Each structure stands twice: as C-alpha cells, then as structure tokens.
Amino acid sequence: MIEFTYARASDPSHALLLGAAQDARFLGGGTNLVDLMRETVERPRELVDVTGLASGIEETASGGLRIGAATRNTALAEHPLVRSRYPVLSRAVLAGASAQIRNMATVAGNLLQRTRCSYFYDEDGSRCNKRAPGQGCDALEGLNRGHAILGASDACVAVHPSDMCVALAVLDATVEIEGAEGTRQIAFADFHRLPGDTPHAETLLQPGELITAIELPPLSNEARSAYRKVRDRSSYAFALVSVAAVLRLEGGTIAEARVALGGVAHKPWRAAKAEAILIGQAPSPELFRRAADAELTQARPLRDNGFKIELAARTITAVLSDIAGDAA
Amino acid sequence: MRGAATFAAEFAPENMAYAAVVFATIARGRVTALDIAAATGAPGVVLVLTHENAPRLKPMPLFMTAGKAGGGDDLPILQDAEVHYNGQPIALVLAETLEQAEHAASLIEATYEIDEAVTTLEAGKARGTRTGIAFGQPAHVEIGKPEDELATAAHRFEATYTTPRHNHNAIEPHAVTLYWQDGELYMHDAVQAVNHVAWSVGSVFGLGEDKVHVTSPYVGGGFGSKVLWSHQILAAVAAREAGRPVRLSLSREGVYRTVGGRAQTEQRVALGADAQGRLQALQHTGTVIMSAHNALPEPFILSAQSSYATKSMLLDIQVATLDMLANTFMRAPGEAVGSFGLESAMDELAERLGIDPIELRIRNEPEKDPMKGLPFSSRQVVWCWRTAAERFGWDKRQAPGLRREGEWLVGLGCAMAGYPYQRMPGGAAGITLTADGRAQVSVAAHEMGMGTSTVHTQVAADRLALPMDAIEFRYGDNALPGVVLAGGSQQTASVGSAIIVATRELVKELLQLAGNASPLAGLSADEVGTTHGGLASLADPQRYESYASILSRAGRFELSVVGQAPMPGEGMHWSMHSHGAIFVEARVNAVTGEVRVPRLTGAYDCGRILNPKTATSQLRGGIIMGLGAALMEETQVDPRNGRIMNASLSEYHLPVHLDVPDIEVIFSDIPDPVSPMGARGIGEIGITGVSAAVANAVYNATGKRVRDLPITLDKLL
Ligand SMILES: Cc1cc2nc3c(=O)[nH]c(=O)nc-3n(C[C@H](O)[C@H](O)[C@H](O)COP(=O)(O)OP(=O)(O)OC[C@H]3O[C@@H](n4cnc5c(N)ncnc54)[C@H](O)[C@@H]3O)c2cc1C
Ligand code: SF4
C-alpha cells in the first residue's frame, strides 16, 4: 500500500475543501476503494471520509424520495418507504455483494464502484486502458465471459458491476452533486458514460465534486416493478445479466414501460428500443421477447460472452411476464 | 471457539522482519533487467533479494523422488534469470512492516525477454505428449483385449469429458515464520508434512534434517497444497541473509501464483457392454497438463482401476507439458475428476441400455480387484447403493426433462464415490505415562481442522483406558516420533496403528515394572488388558493394578515408550477401498440455465467410523468441494501469457452458504477386518463422485448432457 493521509469531513463544504487537494479521494465504506488501493490500481494520497455526511432518507415535496449519499446500502434496502414504494430498488440492493459489504457500502460509493474486469485489477501483469489510458485493452481478445455486449468500444469492453444502479436507472433517478461552483443535478441515465476512447472517464463527475444525494421521482401506485439477477452462484457473485423493469398497465395495454439491464454494458443500460416497442401494446410473452430482441440487435458479442445475448433476451422476457402476471 | 490457536503467521519472534514476493508476469523467458533502486531505498526496507544477490542453493527435492522429499517443483529459486511460469518469484523484499515490504515490492520493475510459451492443453498436445509416470509407474494399464472387446461388444458408448484447472483455497493462506539460531533453522510453518519439510529444506541448505525444526501446531486447511513451495525457501534465505527472524505470509494472490493446483484433464471413456450390461471393455484414457518440473500427472484413471468388473481394461494418461506452475495434489487427486468421466459415462451407458443406473453398477460389481486380482478386504458397495437410494427417494425419478416446478426443471442423479485405503511407512507414536495417571501421546502428525487431535485423544484414551481429559495429544512437530504425512487420507490409519503398537510396548514395560509384588505378577502382555486406568488380567479381572500404583511402587515419575507401526503390508495382500453412493437433486432454471442443488444424500462405507461428528464433517466438506467443482470452480488462465486471471476469492468461485444444500451422510460403520482399528480414511472420498452425480441429475432434469466442468449456466441455455 502507498502511504496516504486520512481526514473526516464534517459537512459538504469541508469535504469539498479537503477533496480539492491533488490526488485526494472521497471515502465511503471503502469496500471498493480500499481494495483497489491494495492492488495499487488506485493511488490516492489523501482520503476524505464522507460517511459522516447526509445519510437520511426523506420524502420530497413531489412525493418522491431523497436519499443521502452516505446512506448505507443495507439502510436503503430496509427503509420502509423504499420497500413499499420502490421494491425494485430494495431488491436490487439486496441482490448485491454480501450482508457485511452492504452494511459498509454507501449509495454514492455504489454509484462510483469500478468495474470488476480482472485485467483492470491486475496492475502487475495486464494492460488496461481504463487503468492506464493508452496502454491497450487485454480483455478485448482475452478472457471476456463477463464483459459487455452493448455499447462497448475497442478501447474498453468492461461492464459496470452495480445492481443498485440498474434499479436507479429504471426509476429515472437524479444525482445531486456539489462542487466548487455550487450544486447541480444530473439525470441518472446521463451520469455514467460509455467507454468510447476514454474509458477512464466513467461518469460526468468532475474531480473534487461530491455526490450529496440521489432523488427518486414518485412512482405511480399502479406501476409494478421487479429486479432479477442472473449469476454463477446463488449469492455473492456479480451479475452476468440483470434486469430491472417497471410496467404500468391501463385497460389492458402497456401505458408505461421502463427496462434497464445490468452486467451488459459500461453503464446501467436503459433499453429504450425495447421500451418503445412495448408502449401501447397488449402485454404478452411474445411481445416481450420481440421487445428484448429489438434491444439486443445492437449487441456485439466477444469471444466468450455470446451467451449473454440470449440470456438477456430470456431474462427480460421473464421479468416482464412476471410483472404483467395474468395480464400477459 | 476462543480464537486462541496460534497459526504459523501469528508467531512473533523479536526483531522479526516481513517479507513480500515479486512474481513474474510472463509465461516463459528471462529477466533482462530488474530495477530495484526504488525498492531498496523505500522506507523500512531491510533487504531486496534477487537472482543477482541470492546465495547459491540446491533446488527443492521433488515430492516422491525420495522418502521425505516434499518440493512442489524442483526449479531453481532465485538462482538465475530464467522464468518458467507466470507467477514465478523473481524477487523478495524484507522490511520492518508488511505494508512497507509490499509497497517496496510494488516498486520493483522487471524487464523481460519473452520466449514463446505453451500455455494450453491443445498447444501442449500439438507439441506431443508422453505417458505419465504416476507413483513411480507408467500410467498405462492394459488387461485382456480392450480394443477388440470394445469393437465387438453388443453395446458401445464413448465420450470425452473435460475438467478445468483448480486452485487451492485453504482458508489460511500459506505462511511461515522462521529464524536461524546457531546454524539451525526454526520454522513455524503451515504444513501438512513436518518431516518432509524439515528434510527437504535441510537438503536445499545442505543441512541434516535434525538441524531444521518445524512446528505446525494449527493449519487452516491443506488439501494437499501445504507441503513445500518456494515461499518457505525464500523466507529462510532472507532470514539468513538479514540475520533476523522473518515472516512470509502469502497473499491470496500469492498462493495462486506460487502454489500449484489441480491440473486440467481431457478424458475419454469408452465402454463396451453385453446385452445384460456387463462390461466387456472399460477404457479410460486421456491427456492431462503438467509442468516439466513436477511429479504428478493428475491420475484420473484411479477410479477405473477398481470400480467395476470388466472383461478387458485400457487405462492411459498422456501428459501435455506446459509452461506453467507445477500442478499438485488436491483433495482426492485422480478420483475427484476421474470419477466425473467414469461415472458420467456409466450413467450414459445405463440410459442407452435402458437399465437403471444403480442396477447397471450392481451388475458390474467385481468379486475381486479387477486390476490387481486381489481380494477385497471389505466392500459394501451394494449396501451403499441400496441405503442411499432408499433414503433419497430414488424411486421418484422420472425420465429426462419431465419434472418441472414453475421455472425449475428438476432432476435426480447418482454416482459412485470411491477412494483407496492407504497407509504409508513411517508411522510411530510415543507415549509417556506419568505417576499421576496421565498420558502424553506424541506423533509428528497434523491438525488441519479435520479433528486429528480430537480423534487421537479419543483413540489413545480408549487404548489406555484413561478418561479423555487425562490424555494430552502432541503433534505438529518434527521432533516428535513418526513420519506421518497428512495426505492420501492415511494419517488416521498411520497414527492409529502406531498408537496400538506403542500401547503394547507400554504394557510390556509396565508389567516389568510391576514385578512380583503386583497382583499382575507372572502375567504376560498377551494375558492382560488395559482397563480403568490400569492393567488387569483378561482371565481374572480381579487381578488389577492402576498405572499410578505401578509407577509409584517402582519409584518412577514417568514411563516413556515409542512404538513403530508395522510396515504397511495389508495393501499388498488386499484390495482396500472405501466407497460411497451419492444422490443429488438438481434444479435447472428453464429461463436462465442456473443450476441449484437443494438436496444431496451419500451413503459411505469407510470402515469403522472413529468419531461420527468429525467424520461427517469431513464428508460434508468434501462434498461441498465436489459441488464447487461441479458447478463453478475454474482457474481462468489467459492463454496469451499463461497468467491466472481470477487469483482471488471474489473471482474464483467456490460455493457460498446459499449454494450448500441439505447434505445427508450415512456410514456403514462396518470395520475393515484388515486395517488398524478397522478404519479406512475419510478425508478425500467426499469430493469424489459429486460432479458426476450433479451432471447426471442435470441431464435428468433437462435432457442435456454437460461433459465439461464446471456446469455453468451458459452450457445449458
Ligand atoms: C466481494 C465483493 C462483492 C461485491 N458484489 C457486488 C454485487 O454483487 N453487486 C453490486 O452491486 N456490488 C457488489 N459489490 C460492490 C459494492 O457494492 C461496492 O463496493 C460498494 O457499493 C461501494 O461503496 P463504498 O461506500 O464502499 O465505496 P468506496 O469504496 O468507499 O468508494 C467507491 C468510490 O466512490 C467514491 N465516493 C464515495 N463516496 C462519494 C461521494 N459522496 N461523492 C463522490 N465520490 C464518492 C470513492 O472516492 C471511490 O472512488 C461487491 C464488492 C465486493 C468487495
Ligand atoms: S475491458 Fe476496460 S477495464 Fe478491462 S482491460 Fe479493457 S480497458 Fe481495462
């Protein structure tokens, strides 16, 4: 480990002040950052602990929820308002990691957790554009069973590993950010970026900027949602494919459809093409499969991950059928 | 559980320095430059050791090349610039703290000249294979006319089964704390072979084994991996060069890089049967990967050697030599993966013949050892099948693909488990009886969490007729009597037979001490037995005297004896094996292909069970490891540079709690008439048969046959 200093921020402005230093990094639960520091993939010189900052969950005026950035994953998943109004979020969080890790992990840290691509982690022996821009990508022609089928580039084929974020994507959340210039909001769908030529730039967050909260708009009482994660063992494994979906039916047709995929792209993937096909139609497994296939025509398999295309199509179909229930 | 046990990396001699290792990142070639300037100048650094400044050392003596040879490979350690595998240690840093050592190690920059490397089984085969030498013999068996019999058999079945590399993941990573004093080396080492380590380390440094003192009081799992690898040698060199005690505790990644695992296999099974299903030909042949510097071609043919009666047999292991870290022993080497091929193939043959798979196996029960022709000492295979089948509810099995509950396809499968009885020469035990009526029993054996100390305390208490709390069982120290490898499931038999002999010696000595004033006067050792903390005449139990009384009348504080176990002749006259029948329910998700195993039943015949609790736990552990092999375990190697890419418990998948089903273990508990104490060893059989039973159950659920482990969901979509 490389030497670093540690300080605890008392409030957001204190955090911004401390975080403005060169090579400073905010520290949430440390479940990802500290791992990466041990591997020397991350080399901060100053850690600014932000777990003391806002961790409350409150109702907003519009009837949505405002979730403090330092809220622990467990607290989020267990919160009665989250469980009753946004079950998809609660389920997604609980599908991730282990109880111990969820007890430590914060919401902001979860958003900013980095890919599990093993070449990214292997500072000693592998090339990675995300870790060292311009170095090359060993995953592109290497072991890539867990890698992206959507939106990847030749520079990087990694996936975003979060479960929670797939639910946030489908819930149309916004991310509240504080920086030297004040506060701004970013739509969740825009927050994470596709790799393009700059896979090291993973989000729209600027250096020194602090995430302070996530806001969820209200979800109609008639809407039903679900999260499903497919993985290599029963628990404690990252998603090969995951699906979050929200459906609202009105008089036998689909009035609202939102679908997001995890484990398939550099960001939580909103399946806009699938959604477009669903709207206004009568729900049926055939329709769902057609929508899934429409989304996945853009998929580009790598050497080891071609199965993810069929797996994603099946999982989307199953999740939507499940939500639609007897209506489908 | 108090957390008070001291493991190898928890000894803290004064002035100890910490070691960190730098691993090569290429598969083959040489180091052309090693920039150690930054590391040498880094805070806290005591020593940087490379091939340029390391003293001259002999390579480790390769396991099985001499009685106590224990090296996982026989490559030079920091002796030259050559790189033989990705992960090979190329430098060591010693520093005041572990963090400083690791940091300095990360500053070392290596430049390489890269040679073309052979990193895959396919490439190794293309370069040409050789017949494996397993346990000193060419791994080739031919009985009768296996080709003719196969060609003319009424029914033929043939398929290829593949298993990937596996890595060791004992909960305690390999670690050693050691120091030199007056030219002698003192090691607290996490090992399962204290004598092998002492002798082999001695041979590297040109020392007699009496100059190397190895203790290994607690070991957090070994499974065949904790003998001698490069880290112990590196630590000892560093300690000698620096003149300080050293602790070297491998990181989890370090274990993957420098401690071998199970080799990949490609197995062909060809079976020829007559109309009734009786085997006319049993062929189990194939290729395993291996490095040029180790001694174990993964012996996947072992199960086929004794499982079934057959008119003819062909077994053969070809070795494809790769540029890789030496593979090694891993729980049930051979049987664990060989039983996957053989027992899957038996299931496939049964289906083609339209015979119940249990029935097919029972029809092929051999009357004597099919390869050696020896009689079986005890063989309860049919009992295993019948007992487990009934407990499990085998009669509920349907034709493939018929049972569905919601999204889940449900199937049942079974397979035979088996592992040979072994007892290696060298077993010995010391007993010291004290005048207060207590006994100390000492054996250079090992406790790796399997219950050795409990079981042998129990065995000794039983033999000496003392309460368990009057026995102190000492182990894990090469100063103690015996050469007892905790491997091959043989430790219990080895220690047990030594305790039996030592007890006999003790009885003789006690009778001599007792003399004429004792009620035992005039009795010979054959005429007395141990009872109630003393000896009594077998014919007249009234003639009794306690140990304490004998010792005190003789004016002795204590009496010590050492008993040498007899040479293990039993295996030369008898075919000795444990067996089991294992049944699995598998659920395969029709949408995603995910496989879950909710239920598993095994009936085992392992001779007498000395302690049902520890024995059941050994079986369960083995079975869980078998489930891991069946469903998820796989070392991922990048073929471009031979580098293990999932060197962590996050990416190398083992079963988590939720993957572990209800496991029912039933023992025959029928004593083996030939083995000491009637017991046959239980450490390894648990893993055998499991992956085949799972594959067979998955087939029954889905109608899809997966012949390539692990059975991940992509193979079932
Ligand atoms: C073994 C293992 C298994 C896991 N499995 C899963 C899984 O199945 N599914 C899943 O979704 N996740 C999984 N995780 C990942 C886990 O969810 C993340 O590690 C966790 O959410 C990160 O949160 P943290 O608070 O610990 O972040 P940290 O590690 O503290 O920080 C992560 C990043 O966020 C930044 N950061 C933190 N707070 C702020 C802030 N307020 N503003 C700006 N930047 C900030 C840090 O600087 C850092 O870059 C797993 C992790 C492990 C170790
Ligand atoms: S996929 Fe991305 S993270 Fe992985 S090696 Fe390539 S550039 Fe690095």
Side-chain angles (χ1 to χ4, degrees):
Chain A
M1 225 178 201
I2 296 163
E3 280 193 15
F4 58 87
T5 61
Y6 169 90
R8 223 176 136 75
S10 51
D11 57 47
S13 54
H14 187 208
L16 286 177
L17 191 71
L18 295 170
Q22 182 101 33
D23 293 329
R25 296 297 293 275
F26 296 124
L27 177 71
T31 61
N32 189 223
L33 182 56
V34 175
D35 253 15
L36 290 166
M37 287 167 64
R38 286 178 182 280
E39 303 290 333
T40 65
V41 174
E42 299 260 24
R43 301 163 174 241
R45 305 312 298 253
E46 296 186 34
L47 285 185
V48 182
D49 187 334
V50 291
T51 53
L53 306 189
S55 62
I57 299 179
E58 300 152 12
E59 267 192 279
T60 58
S62 64
L65 283 186
R66 186 172 191 282
I67 302 159
T71 308
R72 305 284 180 179
N73 284 193
T74 300
L76 175 65
E78 286 178 352
H79 197 277
L81 289 178
V82 175
R83 289 178 56 186
S84 59
R85 295 191 195 164
Y86 306 94
V88 62
L89 179 56
S90 185
R91 300 238 166 86
V93 172
L94 292 177
S98 67
Q100 295 91 329
I101 291 171
R102 293 193 299 268
N103 288 344
M104 285 301 289
T106 62
V107 166
N110 193 316
L111 246 63
L112 293 174
Q113 65 172 296
R114 309 202 67 191
T115 183
R116 309 303 292 198
C117 170
S118 49
Y119 299 99
F120 170 71
Y121 259 78
D122 183 25
E123 215 261 332
D124 293 343
S126 303
R127 291 173 311 163
C128 168
N129 286 324
K130 187 186 278 300
R131 174 168 34 75
Q135 199 177 48
C137 167
D138 271 344
L140 189 61
E141 318 239 290
L143 305 173
N144 48 32
R145 180 171 177 273
H147 286 70
I149 50 171
L150 289 164
S153 68
D154 278 358
C156 178
V157 291
V159 300
H160 193 264
S162 171
D163 291 296
M164 184 189 85
C165 289
V166 185
L168 292 180
V170 92
L171 291 172
D172 287 332
T174 49
V175 185
E176 186 185 283
I177 293 168
E178 256 181 65
E181 266 95 81
T183 305
R184 64 191 178 116
Q185 309 266 342
I186 302 180
F188 194 83
D190 302 329
F191 182 75
H192 294 97
R193 303 169 33 147
L194 288 177
D197 292 334
T198 53
H200 56 283
E202 294 170 345
T203 67
L204 293 185
L205 203 67
Q206 296 302 310
E209 280 188 323
L210 179 72
I211 299 179
T212 46
I214 301 289
E215 266 195 43
L216 301 179
L219 190 61
S220 152
N221 277 341
E222 279 76 53
R224 296 190 55 202
S225 66
Y227 185 73
R228 180 159 177 176
K229 176 177 183 180
V230 185
R231 48 188 145 176
D232 276 325
R233 60 182 168 192
S234 316
S235 171
Y236 207 44
F238 290 92
L240 291 167
V241 163
S242 71
V243 176
V246 175
L247 279 187
R248 188 166 56 80
L249 303 181
E250 233 175 63
T253 59
I254 299 173
E256 194 181 339
R258 294 189 236 156
V259 180
L261 306 178
V264 295
H266 199 256
K267 59 186 286 186
W269 186 266
R270 250 326 257 276
K273 291 198 171 60
E275 292 173 6
I277 288 183
L278 296 170
I279 296 290
Q281 304 294 311
S284 73
E286 296 70 37
L287 171 74
F288 298 150
R289 176 72 199 212
R290 193 149 53 78
D293 286 342
E295 187 66 39
L296 291 161
T297 50
Q298 341 158 46
R300 296 284 168 272
L302 302 165
R303 192 190 67 186
D304 303 331
N305 70 357
F307 73 96
K308 279 191 177 185
I309 299 177
E310 175 65 16
L311 183 61
R314 289 184 181 198
T315 311
I316 294 170
T317 310
V319 168
L320 292 174
S321 304
D322 211 34
I323 299 178
D326 293 342
Chain B
M1 274 311 173
R2 287 179 294 129
T6 312
F7 287 82
E10 295 176 321
F11 289 88
E14 216 169 295
N15 197 30
M16 178 175 77
Y18 293 80
V21 183
V22 181
F23 309 107
T25 57
I26 62 164
R28 194 86 176 91
R30 61 209 52 79
V31 176
T32 51
L34 208 48
D35 183 353
I36 61 167
T40 311
V45 170
V46 175
L47 172 73
V48 178
L49 208 58
T50 71
H51 68 275
E52 282 163 359
N53 63 354
R56 296 306 94 186
L57 299 168
K58 283 199 248 160
M60 298 185 286
L62 189 56
F63 199 73
M64 293 191 302
T65 53
K68 284 181 258 182
D73 66 39
D74 58 1
L75 285 168
I77 298 172
L78 296 189
Q79 299 297 297
D80 57 35
E82 288 299 305
V83 174
H84 299 266
Y85 62 91
N86 196 318
Q88 178 184 312
I90 52 168
L92 170 141
V93 178
L94 212 55
E96 299 295 342
T97 69
L98 177 62
E99 290 73 18
Q100 288 171 332
E102 286 180 343
H103 174 56
S106 77
L107 300 176
I108 293 180
E109 294 291 337
T111 315
Y112 300 99
E113 183 183 352
I114 299 176
D115 290 347
E116 201 169 318
V118 177
T119 60
T120 64
L121 185 139
E122 294 69 32
K125 268 169 73 171
R127 191 161 71 166
T129 62
R130 61 190 159 90
T131 304
I133 307 288
F135 311 109
Q137 304 281 335
H140 181 88
V141 176
E142 207 166 331
I143 295 172
K145 295 199 165 68
E147 294 302 351
D148 295 352
E149 296 291 352
L150 184 67
T152 56
H155 299 279
R156 273 188 301 274
F157 173 77
E158 181 173 340
T160 298
Y161 302 86
T162 48
T163 65
R165 299 191 199 189
H166 291 152
N167 264 88
H168 279 287
N169 281 291
I171 192 153
E172 174 204 28
H174 295 56
V176 62
T177 304
L178 51 71
Y179 57 90
W180 293 85
Q181 195 175 314
D182 304 328
E184 303 194 7
L185 178 60
Y186 294 80
M187 305 172 68
H188 299 295
D189 199 3
V191 291
Q192 59 193 93
V194 283
N195 289 288
H196 293 69
V197 169
W199 186 87
S200 302
V201 170
S203 129
V204 171
F205 288 94
L207 294 173
E209 66 178 311
D210 55 327
K211 303 276 189 294
V212 183
H213 311 276
V214 183
T215 70
S216 190
Y218 295 97
V219 181
F223 308 107
S225 75
K226 282 194 177 138
V227 187
L228 180 63
W229 295 91
S230 54
H231 64 278
Q232 289 120 306
I233 305 301
L234 288 168
V237 179
R240 202 173 63 177
E241 295 302 300
R244 290 176 66 167
V246 165
R247 178 187 297 166
L248 197 165
S249 179
L250 286 177
S251 63
R252 183 63 61 185
E253 183 192 348
V255 177
Y256 277 83
R257 300 264 175 257
T258 64
V259 175
R262 196 194 300 282
Q264 181 187 5
T265 74
E266 182 185 79
Q267 313 167 27
R268 166 187 165 273
V269 183
L271 302 172
D274 68 12
Q276 283 74 43
R278 283 186 297 260
L279 291 180
Q280 307 301 300
L282 192 173
Q283 302 190 9
H284 199 171
T285 60
T287 308
V288 298
I289 61 167
M290 205 172 142
S291 81
H293 299 272
N294 73 310
L296 183 75
E298 181 69 25
F300 65 82
I301 57 176
L302 290 177
S303 304
Q305 293 182 354
S306 69
S307 290
Y308 299 112
T310 175
K311 201 166 162 199
S312 70
M313 187 187 269
L314 175 67
L315 311 177
D316 185 77
I317 302 176
Q318 291 298 306
V319 169
T321 307
L322 268 55
D323 297 306
M324 64 179 218
L325 165 63
N327 59 287
T328 195
F329 297 81
M330 185 163 171
R331 206 173 201 166
E335 286 88 353
V337 287
S339 62
F340 171 64
L342 182 62
E343 291 298 300
S344 294
M346 286 300 278
D347 199 70
E348 300 205 51
L349 178 67
E351 177 172 55
R352 279 169 180 67
L353 291 169
I355 302 178
D356 179 87
I358 300 179
E359 189 51 37
L360 176 68
R361 287 169 171 106
I362 290 176
R363 276 186 206 175
N364 285 290
E365 257 298 278
E367 278 171 14
K368 55 183 176 34
D369 187 289
M371 189 180 87
K372 298 183 195 150
L374 295 173
F376 294 112
S377 62
S378 174
R379 186 175 166 109
Q380 316 295 338
V381 172
V382 177
W383 175 89
C384 293
W385 281 117
R386 300 278 186 242
T387 307
E390 194 187 312
R391 285 291 268 276
F392 181 75
W394 181 246
D395 52 349
K396 309 222 170 34
R397 180 170 177 262
Q398 303 178 14
L402 288 187
R403 207 172 135 196
R404 183 167 179 151
E405 294 174 13
E407 276 185 1
W408 295 92
L409 306 168
V410 185
L412 308 183
C414 63
M416 179 151 107
Y419 195 78
Y421 163 86
Q422 295 178 50
R423 185 163 73 82
M424 300 169 194
I431 303 179
T432 298
L433 206 57
T434 46
D436 58 359
R438 300 179 58 79
Q440 204 179 63
V441 179
S442 313
V443 188
H446 310 84
E447 174 62 276
M448 304 191 288
M450 64 283 213
T452 309
S453 59
T454 307
V455 166
H456 288 298
T457 302
Q458 201 187 325
V459 166
D462 196 38
R463 288 277 154 189
L464 297 171
L466 286 170
M468 275 182 72
D469 59 13
I471 306 283
E472 184 195 347
F473 183 67
R474 297 180 56 209
Y475 58 91
D477 186 337
N478 72 319
L480 302 176
V483 178
V484 184
L485 180 76
S489 300
Q490 70 102 33
Q491 181 165 263
T492 302
S494 172
V495 175
S497 59
I499 291 179
I500 291 171
V501 176
T503 308
R504 231 186 118 71
E505 293 296 318
L506 185 77
V507 170
K508 280 193 210 155
E509 301 257 337
L510 281 168
L511 286 175
Q512 275 202 353
L513 279 187
N516 288 333
S518 166
L520 302 165
L523 294 173
S524 74
D526 289 333
E527 293 166 327
V528 300
T530 59
T531 179
H532 297 88
L535 301 178
S537 159
L538 293 173
D540 175 9
Q542 300 298 324
R543 294 178 66 187
Y544 165 87
E545 186 169 15
S546 72
Y547 303 138
S549 160
I550 297 173
L551 288 183
S552 66
R553 183 149 31 74
R556 294 281 292 265
F557 288 116
E558 58 174 48
L559 174 62
S560 293
V561 298
V562 174
Q564 304 285 341
M567 284 304 283
E570 60 269 31
M572 279 150 62
H573 307 294
W574 301 93
S575 172
M576 299 175 71
H577 294 264
S578 290
H579 292 100
I582 180 147
F583 288 77
V584 165
E585 176 179 321
R587 296 184 164 237
V588 181
N589 192 285
V591 176
T592 61
E594 288 162 293
V595 183
R596 303 285 182 254
V597 172
R599 200 160 67 85
L600 199 150
T601 299
Y604 294 89
D605 172 45
C606 304
R608 190 157 85 90
I609 298 305
L610 299 173
N611 180 320
K613 196 176 228 169
T614 54
T616 305
S617 163
Q618 278 295 298
L619 266 291
R620 287 219 173 96
I623 287 168
I624 294 167
M625 226 159 146
L627 279 175
L631 298 176
M632 59 192 86
E633 253 192 84
E634 174 168 22
T635 304
Q636 289 156 7
V637 178
D638 191 319
R640 296 169 298 182
N641 60 3
R643 187 164 178 81
I644 296 176
M645 289 313 300
N646 57 343
S648 80
L649 284 175
S650 155
E651 304 300 318
Y652 184 100
H653 284 173
L654 297 168
V656 295
H657 280 104
L658 204 54
D659 293 306
V660 177
D662 272 351
I663 299 174
E664 187 181 18
V665 174
I666 307 158
F667 289 114
S668 70
D669 204 12
I670 298 172
D672 190 297
V674 187
S675 80
M677 305 181 300
R680 266 198 312 263
I682 47 167
E684 292 167 271
I685 187 171
I687 191 175
T688 70
V690 179
S691 43
V694 172
N696 297 341
V698 165
Y699 175 75
N700 183 243
T702 61
K704 273 193 196 136
R705 177 59 67 174
V706 180
R707 301 193 182 97
D708 176 41
L709 293 184
I711 307 172
T712 46
L713 59 87
D714 44 312
K715 296 173 187 169
L716 290 163
L717 279 181

